[in-house]
């Protein structure tokens, strides 16, 4: 099998085309994982960009491609809100993906953002990840088959915000985070866990992301200022699915350098 490049940048006309390509890749990765290990363990992203991808996966074009009862769903981060809150990353995915696909509740592993003690919520999530993977929660991080991520206009990803130093986090898989820019508490997977994944797929769309994307991919390396730069899979594939608007500030040669299949 032809070895895949470690980092792939694919540019699409718009969010719809990006989402369709992401749905194809999601299904390919899930089916490969299920074929190889009888299940796929996937981390969903929050935010609004992945919503169309999630919707597409429930359509007749995609829903029949995957044995959904063999997929385990986790989240890369969560807001400090109850699961029925309109800001909940769990709620968005549950509404547009998990409920329409009738995913068994035992395969839905949400972060308990509603807890007063967010460190306890983070520790509980680490234990749940360890349980599902059948590993020890204080050992090497397990490898998700696919992690979906987005980036903010400030270069954050998951709930790894500028100025918060978790890149040096050498043991924790999940931590509480206070995001000063939005004065909000969050719970997030750490780069240590995210970078263990087999595949990491960033979904980036819209002109408002163009500056951040160009800085993250082509700017000075400064992960504290641009946390998305902390995401460098140890041995997995890093994929950037971007639309033309978000790619507007990329140096063309950069995009050409990274494989950009037609
Ligand atoms: C969250 C996400 C966050 C998101 C980016 C992009 O909880 O909001 O984890 O990292 O991916 O902020 O958000 P949009 O897709 O809404 O632009």
């Amino acid at each position: 099998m032809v070895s895949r490049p470690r980092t792939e940048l694919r540019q699409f006309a718009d969010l719809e085309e990006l989402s369709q390509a992401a749905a194809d890749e999601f299904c390919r990765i899930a089916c490969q994982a299920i074929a190889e290990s009888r299940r796929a363990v996937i981390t969903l992203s929050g935010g609004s960009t992945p919503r169309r991808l999630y919707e597409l996966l429930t359509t007749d074009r995609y829903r029949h491609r995957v044995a959904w009862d063999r997929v385990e769903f986790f989240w890369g981060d969560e807001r400090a809100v109850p699961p029925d809150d309109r800001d909940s990353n769990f709620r968005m995915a549950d509404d547009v993906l998990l409920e329409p696909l009738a995913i068994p509740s035992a395969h839905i592993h949400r972060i308990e953002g509603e807890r007063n003690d967010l460190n306890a919520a983070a520790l509980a999530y680490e234990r749940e990840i360890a349980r599902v993977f059948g590993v020890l929660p204080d050992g090497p991080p397990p490898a998700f088959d696919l992690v979906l991520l987005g980036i903010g206009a400030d270069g954050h990803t998951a709930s790894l915000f500028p100025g918060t130093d978790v890149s040096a986090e050498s043991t924790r898989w999940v931590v509480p985070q206070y995001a000063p820019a939005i004065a909000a508490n969050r719970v997030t997977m750490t780069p240590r866990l995210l970078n263990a994944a087999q595949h990491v797929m960033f979904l980036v769309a819209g002109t408002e992301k163009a500056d951040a994307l160009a800085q993250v991919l082509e700017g000075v390396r400064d992960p504290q200022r641009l946390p998305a730069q902390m995401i460098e899979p140890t041995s997995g594939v890093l994929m950037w699915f971007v639309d033309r608007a978000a790619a507007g500030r990329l140096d063309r040669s950069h995009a050409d350098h990274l494989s950009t299949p037609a």
Side-chain angles (χ1 to χ4, degrees), residues 43-45 74-78 111 125 149 158-159 187-189 194:
T43 289
L44 299 176
S45 171
F74 288 83
W75 278 261
D77 69 326
E78 187 55 275
I111 300 170
Y125 208 53
L149 291 172
S159 285
V187 178
T188 187
M189 288 184 178
L194 294 166

Side-chain angles (χ1 to χ4, degrees), residues 45-50 77 79 89 150-152 156-159 186 209:
S45 171
S48 56
T49 304
D77 69 326
R79 290 84 181 274
N89 289 335
I151 64 170
H156 81 260
T157 189
S159 285
R186 300 280 188 96
K209 305 293 176 73

